[in-house]
Every structure is written in structure tokens, then in C-alpha cells.
Amino acid sequence: MAKPLIINVVELLRWPGTTKEVAVSLDVVDLEFDDSRIVNEPVDVALHLESMSNGISVQGTACATWSGLCRRCVAELSVRMTVDISELYQKELEDPDAYVIDNDQLNLLPMVRENILLAIPLGPLCRPDCPGLCPHCGIDLAESSCKCEISTADPRWGALEALRGVLDDPAE
Ligand SMILES: [Zn+2]
Ligand SMILES: [Zn+2]
């Protein structure tokens, strides 16, 4: 358990309008991701806590690195991403999306972990317009072109086109 993400908020709860900054760089194992997509690089967390009438708002960013395969050309990707965080902590949960303030403490760890995991794309792309591989010869269409003639009008290609549709679906 990463202690830097357990924040005592007695002062904040006493004085609405009070703020607190949390800026830490954590070892990835401290966040207990249990997810093979997360790369072993530091997780940088920068959060601004503010005491509100309905709880404590937590705004900021978390940076982490994930890896995966482009869903079209299967290139290996390793991406450092910055996730925007905007959450609310409450003593008594009124907002169904809020996290609980337990014992005058915010445990930011599960919240940061959840935000990072949700931000990893399910069907990653090496670039938005990645042309992918030729479904016939398998050549990488980003690097070269081939002479395969692919027409959906030709029934012989029907099965391949259908298969391509399946392969293009984001991996769940
Ligand atoms: Zn690609
Ligand atoms: Zn081809």
C-alpha cells in the first residue's frame, strides 16, 4: 500500500475552501494494478484537493505507461499517457460516484488506479489513420503497398472482408 496516497484531511474538513496539493512519483508496484498492460515505469500523480460544502474535490492528473498491440497492424505500442482526474470524496456517500472519506483520511490509491485502468484504450491504434495489414498478403500497408485487388463486390473476398471486420473490432 502506497502511504503517499493516504491523505489526512482533518484540516480540510474543518475549513471549507481549504486546499492541499499532492504531488508524488510512485513505483508502479505500489499501485497494485494486477494488469499486464501496465509498464514498469513510475506513476506520477499531481492532485489538487479542495474542501467543498459537499465533500472534498480531487482534481489533477496521473501519468502512467501502458503497452499493447495496434489493433490493425499489430505493431507493439508503449504509450506514456496523462489521465485527467476529477473526483469527489464524501464522509457520507450521497453522490453514487463519490469515494468515501474514511477516518478523516482520503485513500487516493484505488481512485488513481481505477482512473488509469479506464483510460487505457481497449482497441489501441499506433496512429489514428493506421491503414493496417493487407487482409490478403499481410503486408503492412503503412510501409508499402501490394498488388492485391480487394473488392467487396467480388464474392471471393466476402469471407476475408468479414474476417477483417472481426479483427478490426476492439479487443475486449
Ligand atoms: Zn497500426
Ligand atoms: Zn496484399
Side-chain angles (χ1 to χ4, degrees), residues 54-99:
N54 64 337
I56 294 176
S57 86
V58 180
Q59 316 272 338
T61 56
C63 297
T65 307
W66 58 268
S67 66
L69 299 177
C70 172
R71 75 168 193 260
R72 288 190 197 142
C73 72
V74 300
E76 281 187 38
L77 309 175
S78 179
V79 179
R80 184 85 179 155
M81 66 174 176
T82 300
V83 184
D84 287 323
I85 290 177
S86 176
E87 301 286 357
L88 182 68
Y89 279 72
Q90 295 183 318
K91 260 191 133 140
E92 322 236 312
L93 288 179
E94 291 159 6
D95 185 326
D97 294 326
Y99 292 81

Coordinates of all heavy atoms in Angstrom, one line a residue, residues 54-99:
N54 N -20.0 19.9 0.0 CA -20.5 18.5 -0.1 C -19.4 17.5 -0.1 O -19.6 16.3 -0.5 CB -21.3 18.4 -1.4 CG -20.5 18.6 -2.7 OD1 -19.4 19.2 -2.6 ND2 -20.9 18.1 -3.8
G55 N -18.2 17.8 0.3 CA -17.1 16.9 0.4 C -15.8 17.5 0.0 O -15.6 18.7 0.1
I56 N -14.9 16.6 -0.5 CA -13.6 17.1 -0.9 C -13.4 16.8 -2.4 O -13.5 15.6 -2.7 CB -12.4 16.5 0.0 CG1 -12.6 17.0 1.4 CG2 -11.1 16.9 -0.6 CD1 -11.6 16.5 2.4
S57 N -13.2 17.8 -3.2 CA -13.0 17.5 -4.6 C -11.5 17.3 -4.9 O -10.6 17.9 -4.2 CB -13.5 18.7 -5.5 OG -12.5 19.7 -5.6
V58 N -11.3 16.4 -5.8 CA -9.9 16.0 -6.1 C -9.7 16.1 -7.6 O -10.4 15.4 -8.4 CB -9.6 14.5 -5.7 CG1 -8.2 14.1 -6.1 CG2 -9.8 14.3 -4.2
Q59 N -8.9 17.1 -8.0 CA -8.7 17.4 -9.5 C -7.2 17.3 -9.8 O -6.4 17.7 -9.0 CB -9.1 18.8 -9.8 CG -10.5 19.2 -9.2 CD -11.6 18.8 -10.1 OE1 -11.5 18.6 -11.3 NE2 -12.8 18.7 -9.5
G60 N -6.9 16.8 -11.0 CA -5.5 16.8 -11.4 C -5.2 15.7 -12.4 O -6.1 15.4 -13.2
T61 N -4.0 15.2 -12.4 CA -3.6 14.2 -13.4 C -2.8 13.1 -12.8 O -2.2 13.2 -11.7 CB -2.7 14.9 -14.5 OG1 -1.6 15.5 -13.8 CG2 -3.4 16.0 -15.3
A62 N -2.8 12.0 -13.5 CA -1.9 10.9 -13.2 C -1.3 10.4 -14.5 O -1.9 10.3 -15.6 CB -2.7 9.7 -12.6
C63 N 0.1 10.2 -14.5 CA 0.8 9.7 -15.7 C 1.2 8.3 -15.5 O 1.8 8.0 -14.4 CB 2.0 10.6 -16.0 SG 1.6 12.3 -16.3
A64 N 1.0 7.5 -16.5 CA 1.4 6.1 -16.4 C 1.7 5.6 -17.8 O 1.3 6.3 -18.8 CB 0.4 5.2 -15.7
T65 N 2.4 4.5 -17.9 CA 2.7 3.9 -19.2 C 2.1 2.6 -19.4 O 2.1 1.7 -18.5 CB 4.2 3.8 -19.4 OG1 4.9 5.0 -19.0 CG2 4.6 3.4 -20.8
W66 N 1.4 2.4 -20.6 CA 0.8 1.1 -20.9 C 1.4 0.6 -22.2 O 1.9 1.4 -23.0 CB -0.7 1.2 -21.0 CG -1.2 2.2 -22.0 CD1 -1.5 3.5 -21.8 CD2 -1.4 1.9 -23.4 NE1 -1.9 4.1 -23.0 CE2 -1.9 3.2 -24.0 CE3 -1.3 0.8 -24.3 CZ2 -2.2 3.3 -25.4 CZ3 -1.6 0.9 -25.6 CH2 -2.1 2.2 -26.2
S67 N 1.3 -0.7 -22.4 CA 1.8 -1.3 -23.6 C 0.7 -2.2 -24.2 O -0.2 -2.6 -23.5 CB 3.0 -2.1 -23.4 OG 2.7 -3.2 -22.6
G68 N 0.7 -2.4 -25.5 CA -0.3 -3.2 -26.2 C 0.1 -3.3 -27.7 O 1.1 -2.8 -28.1
L69 N -0.8 -3.9 -28.5 CA -0.6 -4.0 -29.9 C -1.6 -3.2 -30.6 O -2.8 -3.2 -30.3 CB -0.8 -5.5 -30.3 CG 0.2 -6.5 -29.7 CD1 -0.2 -7.9 -30.1 CD2 1.6 -6.2 -30.0
C70 N -1.1 -2.6 -31.7 CA -2.1 -1.8 -32.6 C -3.1 -2.8 -33.1 O -2.7 -3.9 -33.6 CB -1.3 -1.2 -33.7 SG -2.4 -0.5 -35.0
R71 N -4.3 -2.5 -33.0 CA -5.4 -3.5 -33.4 C -5.4 -3.7 -34.9 O -6.1 -4.6 -35.4 CB -6.7 -3.1 -32.9 CG -7.4 -1.9 -33.6 CD -8.9 -1.8 -33.1 NE -9.7 -1.0 -33.9 CZ -10.0 0.3 -33.6 NH1 -9.5 0.8 -32.4 NH2 -10.7 1.0 -34.4
R72 N -4.8 -2.8 -35.7 CA -4.8 -3.0 -37.1 C -3.6 -3.6 -37.7 O -3.6 -4.5 -38.5 CB -5.1 -1.7 -37.8 CG -6.5 -1.2 -37.7 CD -6.9 0.0 -38.5 NE -8.1 0.7 -38.1 CZ -8.2 2.0 -38.1 NH1 -7.3 2.8 -38.5 NH2 -9.4 2.5 -37.6
C73 N -2.4 -3.1 -37.3 CA -1.1 -3.6 -37.9 C -0.3 -4.4 -36.9 O 0.8 -4.9 -37.2 CB -0.3 -2.4 -38.4 SG 0.5 -1.4 -37.1
V74 N -0.8 -4.6 -35.7 CA -0.2 -5.4 -34.6 C 1.2 -4.9 -34.2 O 2.0 -5.7 -33.7 CB -0.2 -6.9 -34.8 CG1 -1.6 -7.4 -34.9 CG2 0.6 -7.3 -36.0
A75 N 1.5 -3.6 -34.5 CA 2.8 -3.1 -34.0 C 2.7 -3.0 -32.5 O 1.7 -2.8 -31.9 CB 3.0 -1.7 -34.6
E76 N 3.9 -3.2 -31.8 CA 3.9 -3.1 -30.4 C 4.0 -1.6 -30.0 O 4.7 -0.8 -30.5 CB 5.2 -3.8 -29.9 CG 5.0 -5.3 -29.8 CD 6.2 -6.0 -29.1 OE1 6.7 -5.4 -28.1 OE2 6.5 -7.0 -29.6
L77 N 3.1 -1.3 -29.1 CA 3.0 0.1 -28.6 C 3.4 0.2 -27.1 O 3.1 -0.7 -26.4 CB 1.5 0.6 -28.8 CG 0.9 0.4 -30.1 CD1 -0.6 0.9 -30.0 CD2 1.6 1.2 -31.2
S78 N 4.0 1.3 -26.8 CA 4.3 1.6 -25.4 C 4.0 3.1 -25.3 O 4.7 3.9 -25.9 CB 5.7 1.3 -25.1 OG 6.0 1.6 -23.7
V79 N 3.0 3.5 -24.5 CA 2.5 4.8 -24.5 C 2.4 5.4 -23.1 O 1.8 4.8 -22.2 CB 1.0 4.9 -25.1 CG1 0.5 6.3 -25.1 CG2 1.0 4.3 -26.5
R80 N 3.1 6.6 -22.9 CA 3.0 7.3 -21.7 C 1.8 8.2 -21.8 O 1.7 9.0 -22.7 CB 4.3 8.2 -21.5 CG 4.4 8.9 -20.2 CD 4.9 8.1 -19.1 NE 5.1 8.8 -17.9 CZ 5.1 8.1 -16.7 NH1 4.9 6.8 -16.7 NH2 5.2 8.8 -15.6
M81 N 0.8 8.0 -20.9 CA -0.4 8.8 -21.0 C -0.6 9.6 -19.8 O -0.1 9.3 -18.7 CB -1.6 7.8 -21.2 CG -1.9 6.9 -20.0 SD -3.4 6.0 -20.3 CE -3.4 5.0 -18.7
T82 N -1.3 10.7 -19.9 CA -1.7 11.6 -18.8 C -3.2 11.5 -18.7 O -3.9 11.8 -19.7 CB -1.3 13.0 -19.1 OG1 0.2 13.0 -19.2 CG2 -1.7 13.9 -17.9
V83 N -3.7 11.1 -17.5 CA -5.1 10.9 -17.3 C -5.6 12.1 -16.5 O -5.1 12.4 -15.4 CB -5.4 9.6 -16.6 CG1 -6.8 9.3 -16.4 CG2 -4.7 8.4 -17.3
D84 N -6.7 12.7 -17.0 CA -7.3 13.8 -16.2 C -8.2 13.2 -15.1 O -8.9 12.2 -15.3 CB -8.2 14.7 -17.1 CG -7.3 15.6 -17.9 OD1 -6.3 16.0 -17.5 OD2 -7.7 15.8 -19.1
I85 N -8.0 13.7 -13.9 CA -8.8 13.2 -12.8 C -9.7 14.2 -12.2 O -9.3 15.4 -12.0 CB -7.8 12.6 -11.7 CG1 -7.2 11.4 -12.2 CG2 -8.6 12.4 -10.4 CD1 -6.1 10.8 -11.3
S86 N -10.9 13.9 -12.0 CA -11.9 14.8 -11.3 C -12.9 14.0 -10.5 O -13.8 13.3 -11.1 CB -12.6 15.6 -12.4 OG -13.6 16.4 -11.8
E87 N -12.6 13.9 -9.2 CA -13.4 13.0 -8.4 C -13.9 13.8 -7.1 O -13.4 14.8 -6.8 CB -12.6 11.8 -8.0 CG -12.1 11.0 -9.1 CD -13.2 10.1 -9.8 OE1 -14.4 10.2 -9.3 OE2 -12.9 9.5 -10.8
L88 N -14.8 13.1 -6.4 CA -15.3 13.7 -5.2 C -15.2 12.7 -4.1 O -15.5 11.5 -4.3 CB -16.8 14.2 -5.4 CG -17.5 14.8 -4.2 CD1 -16.9 16.2 -3.9 CD2 -19.0 15.0 -4.5
Y89 N -14.8 13.1 -2.9 CA -14.8 12.2 -1.7 C -15.8 12.8 -0.7 O -15.8 14.0 -0.5 CB -13.4 12.2 -1.1 CG -12.4 11.2 -1.8 CD1 -11.9 11.5 -3.0 CD2 -12.0 10.0 -1.1 CE1 -11.0 10.7 -3.6 CE2 -11.1 9.2 -1.8 CZ -10.6 9.5 -3.0 OH -9.8 8.6 -3.6
Q90 N -16.6 11.9 -0.1 CA -17.6 12.3 0.9 C -17.5 11.5 2.1 O -17.2 10.3 2.1 CB -19.0 12.2 0.2 CG -19.2 13.2 -0.9 CD -20.6 13.1 -1.5 OE1 -21.2 12.0 -1.7 NE2 -21.2 14.2 -1.8
K91 N -17.9 12.1 3.2 CA -17.9 11.4 4.5 C -19.1 10.4 4.5 O -18.9 9.3 4.9 CB -18.1 12.4 5.7 CG -16.8 12.7 6.4 CD -17.0 13.4 7.7 CE -16.2 12.7 8.8 NZ -15.5 13.6 9.7
E92 N -20.2 10.9 4.1 CA -21.4 10.1 3.9 C -21.7 10.1 2.4 O -21.9 11.2 1.9 CB -22.6 10.6 4.7 CG -22.2 11.2 6.0 CD -22.9 10.5 7.2 OE1 -24.2 10.4 7.0 OE2 -22.3 10.1 8.1
L93 N -21.7 8.9 1.8 CA -21.8 8.9 0.4 C -23.2 9.3 -0.1 O -24.2 8.7 0.2 CB -21.5 7.5 -0.2 CG -20.1 7.1 -0.2 CD1 -19.9 5.7 -0.7 CD2 -19.2 8.1 -1.0
E94 N -23.3 10.5 -0.7 CA -24.6 11.0 -1.3 C -24.5 10.8 -2.8 O -25.5 10.5 -3.4 CB -24.8 12.4 -0.9 CG -25.1 12.6 0.6 CD -24.9 14.0 1.1 OE1 -24.6 14.9 0.2 OE2 -25.0 14.2 2.3
D95 N -23.4 11.1 -3.3 CA -23.1 11.0 -4.8 C -22.7 9.6 -5.1 O -21.7 9.1 -4.5 CB -22.0 12.0 -5.2 CG -21.8 12.0 -6.7 OD1 -21.9 10.9 -7.3 OD2 -21.5 13.1 -7.2
P96 N -23.4 8.9 -5.9 CA -23.1 7.4 -6.2 C -21.7 7.2 -6.8 O -21.1 6.2 -6.7 CB -24.2 7.0 -7.2 CG -24.8 8.2 -7.7 CD -24.6 9.3 -6.7
D97 N -21.1 8.3 -7.4 CA -19.8 8.2 -8.0 C -18.7 8.6 -7.0 O -17.5 8.5 -7.4 CB -19.7 9.0 -9.3 CG -20.6 8.5 -10.3 OD1 -20.8 7.3 -10.4 OD2 -21.2 9.3 -11.1
A98 N -19.1 9.1 -5.8 CA -18.0 9.6 -4.9 C -17.3 8.4 -4.2 O -17.8 7.3 -4.2 CB -18.7 10.5 -3.9
Y99 N -16.1 8.7 -3.7 CA -15.4 7.8 -2.9 C -15.5 8.2 -1.4 O -15.8 9.4 -1.1 CB -13.9 7.9 -3.2 CG -13.6 7.3 -4.6 CD1 -13.7 8.1 -5.8 CD2 -13.1 6.0 -4.8 CE1 -13.5 7.6 -7.0 CE2 -12.8 5.5 -6.0 CZ -13.0 6.3 -7.1 OH -12.7 5.8 -8.4

